[in-house]
Amino acid sequence: MTDAEQPATIRLEVARYRPEQDSEPVFQGYDVPLMDDWAVLDGLAYVKDRLDGSLSFRWSCRMGICGSCGMNVNGEPRLTCGSFLAEYGDGPIRIEPLKGFPVIRDLVVDIDDFLDKLSSVRPWLIREGEEPPLTAEYAQTPEQLDAYKQYSMCVNCMLCYSACPVYVLDPDFLGPAAIALAQRYNLDSRDMGDRFDVLNLDEAVWGCVFVGDCTRVCPKHVDPAEAIQRYKLTAALRSVLPWSRR
Amino acid sequence: MIDVLIVGGGGAGLRAALAVAETDPALKVAVVSKVYPMRSHTVSAEGGAAAVIGVGDTLDEHCYDTISGGDWLCDQDAVEAFVAEAPRELIQLEHWGCPWSREADGRVAVRPFGGMKRMRTWYAADKTGFHLLHTLFQTTLKYQDIIRYDEWYVTTLVVDDGRVHGVVALDIRTGRVETIAARTVILATGGGGRVFPFTTNAAIKTGDGMALAYRAGAPLKDMEFVQYHPTGLPFTGILITEAARAEGGWLINKDGYRYLQDYDLGRPTPTPRLRAMELGPRDRLSQAFVHEQRKGRTVDTPYGPVVYLDLRHLGESKIDARIPFVRELCRSYQNLDPATDLIPVRPVVHYMMGGVHTDLDGATTIAGLFAAGETACVSINGANRLGSNSLPEILVFGRRAGVAAAEFARAHRESEPPAVRSQGDDEARRLARTREGSRTGERIADLRERMQHALEGAAGIYRTGDELTKAVDTLADLRERAQEARLEDTSATFNTELINLQELCAMLDVARTVVACALGRQESRGAHQRTDFPARDDETYLAHSLVHRAPDGTPSVGLLPVTITRWPPGERVYGRD
Amino acid sequence: MKRTLEPYLWLLFSGGGVVAALALPVLVLLFGVLMPLGVVDWPSAGHLTALLDHLLVRLALVVVVVLCLFHAAHRIRFTSEELLGIARFDLVIAVLCYGAAVAGGVTAAVVLL
Amino acid sequence: MTVRAPYRPPRDRLWFTRTRSATVFVLRELTSVFVAWSVVFLLLLADAVLSGTTREFAALAARPWMIALNVVALAATAFHAVTFLNLAPKATVVRLDGWRVPDWVIQGGNHSAWLVISGLIAYFVLRSS
Ligand SMILES: Cc1cc2nc3c(=O)[nH]c(=O)nc-3n(C[C@H](O)[C@H](O)[C@H](O)COP(=O)(O)OP(=O)(O)OC[C@H]3O[C@@H](n4cnc5c(N)ncnc54)[C@H](O)[C@@H]3O)c2cc1C
Ligand code: SF4
Ligand code: F3S
Ligand code: FES
């Protein structure tokens, strides 16, 4: 683009919450250049660099893999590095923090609760017996890998939590990603653990009413809704047939 | 008092934490990270991790590939240790659950990689770093005693009398500044690619750890060696992994010609040949691009000249099976499908071979201070890192640093000196002053851009003494101006502008050492190419550049001989049999 | 470990969902829409009585009724809680919903057996 | 300056109107009311048949409001059937020899079963009349 041309702009309506001055979020408008290849995140970076240095948001990889740039864009939870300004026509684009989490500042939300939940499902490979020497790997065929691979793709971006009405209403709900990650290990042929005690709870898999929005918004196609329903079946069968494992 | 305080929650930092937790559960371990650990940049690594496992491969061959790839600037004792321990580390990762891609019989699969004579690169599709980091992070959750300071930014090291005593860190969420006393500190803060304008590196890669060590008096090593990766997407700089070429992708110029054959990288073959053509080392491939550009054989785009990466002949099913993320990235960020379209690519700053000078156990010259990962320079990468050597490096040396730090902490039980509080208070005052804000100075983003362009102009793929000399002054001037930068955000809560300013200052320090080392090295070797000194000069420069911060704040560069064990310097041969 | 009734309720709910999906639309279509509209004729009273004559058919009907009602009760319980934000009264709501389903089941048994 | 705690937004009472999929979800769940109604209706029918008052029942069923109600119930139960049978593969992932049977195969099977059973029921009900 040459300097002479006036670049087209698009308006971003950005939610601001500065705990020192705002008692609740307010919207602030910014006009940013409407470039074909700019992601919404590039628009925000432009605001921060050129218009208002006091705007706070998280981002890092800008390639959809670190999971830090999730926000509510026009009411939908999105990774802002993977959503483009041009998708939103003439704008304005409303950018808010992810729904369902306490807002720390502007577009930054508190996700510590998720990390506690993640720990609680024991998201690590559980083995019994002696640790074998580090000379050979555990065998795992491509088919066995396939059985859990999809659930291992979670980037912890929290879009699914934000989209799940159950979680938004009841923060005690263990929620989609944590359950999907528990299933990631449950279905791993190398894992010998049992996570029934943490998953078979009212506020774990039984809290899910299968809205399915978690799966719809997941940018990594993890399909947490499926993970949860599958474990419901597992848990139900185990409850009626106590001798069956998994 | 923390026994082992790890700055950085990437692959190196988490591996170190696990090493301590597993070897001595009695020690108190803490991980401080400016982002949640699973957001660390290790998450972006795509292609794979090298370690000898296959039949027909030997440790010596991996050593030789690494050393010749590094243009004989690697310390060979370090390379030998690295190559020997890498397989164990990758198996350990497997035992922790890493979903490595597999052969039909259930063994771990390997793929070819640039500059490697054998297939030895383990991979988890093309999200290797992602899986590696999440596996490590989730495994650390098993150790409830590991203390985590998530979203805390370390602003300075507390050093007294040649010994480290902890760090001062800012809790980004509350703005609180705290001194964290520790018997040992491991820097695992990753690289600093953001000093350049066009990079594959994430926003957080601002060289903080290098700056922290450098300011504390520890020397940095080989800072002039900056790796350009030959295939980044224009505009975003998003990396198209080398695995795309390892699986059979071709680099072609605007005439559809596989131009690498003109640059002594061998003859084109339909299927990939190891250590030849597209599987040559990154420095040579990026340099070839510059020559193509000069010959007018690249394609101009709004974001500079590009060549094409051609994956079409691989077919959709192979692309989806082996490099699905490449397809995902091309679709979302370039609006094209590699199964049917050519991918425009250009060289992009990717990795810093240099870093904090350490020995084989990650120890720096400051007692109790260790470094590991991309922020450190143990010297296994020399003048040019081979793709897929970095992930095993962060594991091998992350573990070694963890074990060594644990040992040091056990041996040094003295209580903290008064200097800890006083230095902590000084730093807290400095940060409080900065946060009062300023409406007058220049914007952080402007200063950052100036720095990036100065560096790209002077310390790009090809360098000259004149331009480097000019950059020395530009950067010194920018460093001054950064002290007066404008800061609009005065909030204590999640003040990212304050963090950005700290990062800018770190980058300016790092940038100055890059330029100083590049100016000092009057030869061409690996990723450091001086048009005014085009030949390699083993007579004078078979040595590392070691850069200290002089009392007046300027970088002062010296030389340290390279350790040679079994591989005397030779010619780097690719594609010629 | 905390005991929970949910797995059993969920099995009933799922079974009811399947039964309701397979059997209800066609029955409603025939008896609720097509016959009243006169598109198809009502079967003779004798035919209908004959259908219900088998004990097995009646037993099957009771099962269908019970399962479908449990399905409905389960969904109504959760949906009302989500829609109205009254999850804290879950116990009361659950007793009401499943209670109604049980009552319906008993009625069915009385009518049919 | 006082620093406030993180902001917790108030409950959004109209959450189910915010996205199309949430509305579809609520509609899907509300079909259960009509499932219950259909069962009641069939019970009334069975009672009438067994007590010989089929004629009165037919008259009741032919009232316009009754027909209207049952048309809605038909739509709701059909919607229930489609959604429920489509979602079934989520809970029951079938693997043959490591190969995952695609969702659409299972869904197709479910829908076929639905057709067959509906046909059978219709056949038995309408057989001799
Ligand atoms: C796009 C891309 C692809 C790559 N692909 C490959 C590959 O295929 N194979 C390979 O071998 N290598 C690859 N690499 C290189 C490799 O990924 C990195 O070198 C390696 O991951 C670095 O790991 P690390 O642990 O040293 O640092 P990082 O993962 O970068 O972690 C740094 C940590 O330090 C913390 N930190 C930094 N500064 C501070 C501070 N001031 N205070 C507190 N915490 C701080 C950060 O929060 C972070 O947790 C790739 C690199 C890139 C950019
Ligand atoms: S399951 Fe998907 S949406 Fe949820 S956190 Fe993981 S990647 Fe994000
Ligand atoms: S949106 Fe929520 S209710 Fe279940 S299916 Fe997903 S977790
Ligand atoms: S910035 Fe990393 S996912 Fe968007």
Side-chain angles (χ1 to χ4, degrees), chain B residues 537-561:
Chain B
D537 174 4
D538 286 341
E539 203 63 29
T540 322
Y541 291 110
L542 193 61
H544 302 294
S545 307
L546 214 55
V547 53
H548 277 92
R549 188 166 178 275
D552 66 349
T554 58
S556 110
V557 185
L559 290 177
L560 179 79

Side-chain angles (χ1 to χ4, degrees), chain B residues 229-242:
Chain B
H229 194 293
T231 58
L233 293 180
F235 177 55
T236 53
I238 288 174
L239 176 78
I240 299 302
T241 169
E242 194 162 290

Side-chain angles (χ1 to χ4, degrees), chain D residues 62-124:
Chain D
R63 299 250 178 93
W65 64 267
M66 241 338 204
I67 295 180
L69 179 60
N70 278 327
V71 167
V72 178
L74 174 64
T77 49
F79 185 60
H80 162 78
V82 172
T83 51
F84 205 84
L85 298 177
N86 275 342
L87 291 176
K90 292 291 170 203
T92 49
V93 168
V94 181
R95 281 180 183 275
L96 296 174
D97 224 5
W99 173 75
R100 176 168 175 177
V101 179
D103 285 2
W104 62 266
V105 174
I106 303 180
Q107 287 162 344
N110 287 344
H111 288 295
S112 311
W114 180 27
L115 277 184
V116 170
I117 290 177
S118 299
L120 275 178
I121 293 178
Y123 170 75
F124 278 113

Side-chain angles (χ1 to χ4, degrees), chain B residues 274-343:
Chain B
L274 296 158
R275 267 180 80 106
M277 288 296 290
E278 281 84 1
L279 291 183
R282 291 176 181 169
D283 54 342
R284 298 277 298 274
L285 265 58
S286 295
Q287 288 151 18
F289 173 90
V290 178
H291 293 289
E292 282 296 291
Q293 183 196 347
R294 291 193 183 142
K295 291 180 193 159
R297 304 204 295 195
T298 53
V299 182
D300 283 320
T301 73
Y303 302 110
V306 300
V307 289
Y308 292 115
L309 179 63
D310 186 356
L311 304 181
R312 296 172 303 180
H313 53 285
L314 300 183
E316 211 171 312
S317 59
K318 184 159 186 185
I319 292 177
D320 282 345
R322 302 299 191 87
I323 43 176
F325 195 37
V326 167
R327 197 167 186 204
E328 192 183 321
L329 289 170
C330 287
R331 281 186 166 157
S332 349
Y333 295 94
Q334 211 69 38
N335 217 351
L336 59 79
D337 181 355
T340 52
D341 306 310
L342 294 172
I343 312 172

Side-chain angles (χ1 to χ4, degrees), chain B residues 348-428:
Chain B
V348 52
V349 168
H350 184 54
Y351 185 85
M352 301 203 120
M353 271 67 78
V356 183
H357 170 50
T358 72
D359 68 10
L360 264 58
D361 285 322
T364 68
T365 53
I366 297 176
L369 181 67
F370 298 78
E374 193 173 338
T375 207
C377 180
V378 198
S379 284
I380 67 152
N381 297 311
N384 172 59
R385 170 181 77 103
L386 289 191
S388 76
N389 262 353
S390 174
L391 290 178
E393 175 187 358
I394 64 181
L395 298 170
V396 167
F397 293 101
R399 187 192 68 83
R400 278 176 163 256
V403 170
E407 195 136 309
F408 187 98
R410 271 193 301 267
H412 296 78
R413 307 303 296 175
E414 66 280 317
S415 55
E416 65 175 64
V420 174
R421 290 298 137 202
S422 65
Q423 287 185 26
D425 293 345
D426 288 350
E427 182 67 0

Side-chain angles (χ1 to χ4, degrees), chain A residues 17-25 75-76 99 101-104 143 146-147 150 165 169 209-211 213 216 223 226 229-230 233, chain D residues 1-9 11-12 15 18-19 21-22 25 28-29 87-93 95 97-100 103:
Chain A
Y17 173 65
R18 288 143 296 192
E20 283 100 341
Q21 74 190 74
D22 304 319
S23 58
E24 60 177 29
E76 276 280 306
K99 218 167 50 183
F101 298 92
V103 183
I104 297 175
E143 290 76 33
D146 233 35
Q150 167 194 359
L169 292 179
V209 294
F210 205 177
V211 177
D213 269 1
R216 193 176 53 82
D223 201 346
E226 176 186 277
Q229 311 320 311
R230 284 176 75 178
L233 186 61
Chain D
M1 249 187 305
T2 58
V3 181
R4 287 188 189 82
Y7 173 75
R8 283 168 202 275
R11 209 180 94 75
D12 178 3
W15 62 269
R18 305 287 180 225
T19 62
S21 58
F25 161 76
R28 185 188 89 196
E29 298 298 296
L87 291 176
K90 292 291 170 203
T92 49
V93 168
R95 281 180 183 275
D97 224 5
W99 173 75
R100 176 168 175 177
D103 285 2

